[in-house]
Amino acid sequence: MNPWPDLRDVLNGVPWVIAGDVATRAYMPERATKDLDVLVRADDGDVVLARLETAGYDLISTLGIPGYVLRSPDGVEIDILLSDAAWLIEAFTQVGHDAAGLPVLALPYLVLMKLTAMRSQDWADVSRMLGLATETELEHVREVVQRYSPEDAEDLEALIVLGRREAQFPDR
């Protein structure tokens, strides 16, 4: 497991979760990625940026989407993603944890975020995660996608089928 910076002390009291590729390691085997994506409410962006800079993180640039790119004192790239998504407050009440104990976006919301990103790697991640998910987890994912992005429900079902096939025959 790749050791990522632990931001729990720096961001104590601010709702945040690890999102993106690093969060997937809570739901499937870890894959290589160069940065740590941290999701926060847009309203907390200035506070998060100030705390990270005080902790020795350097601001590198802004992102093309709302957010910032920072570099940790150890040279790790951190992307702070600012969101005002309708599902975000709900997601902060259902935080998951990876094997290192770091807070990650719960599976339904991570799937929702990756589905709407519309990138092929994100869809591949969704398929792998859902192929390993339990029926109970899948029902929760379906419920969240139906509530917040019903236009993606059909694609979700296809990705579940593909993920189940891959999980059944992992060496193919």
Side-chain angles (χ1 to χ4, degrees), residues 27-31 120-133 157-172:
Y27 310 107
M28 67 181 211
E30 186 171 11
R31 67 175 181 80
S120 59
Q121 183 58 60
D122 289 318
W123 282 41
D125 288 343
V126 168
S127 179
R128 285 186 193 101
M129 290 186 297
L130 296 178
L132 298 170
E157 293 304 320
L159 291 169
I160 291 170
V161 169
L162 291 172
R164 292 290 174 153
R165 286 184 183 167
E166 181 179 351
Q168 186 179 2
F169 304 105
D171 295 332
R172 284 189 167 181

Side-chain angles (χ1 to χ4, degrees), residues 28 45 61 66 69 96 110-111 114 137 143 151 159 167:
M28 67 181 211
S61 66
V69 178
L110 183 58
V111 166
K114 285 185 163 285
E137 291 169 328
E143 173 190 314
E151 64 276 10
L159 291 169

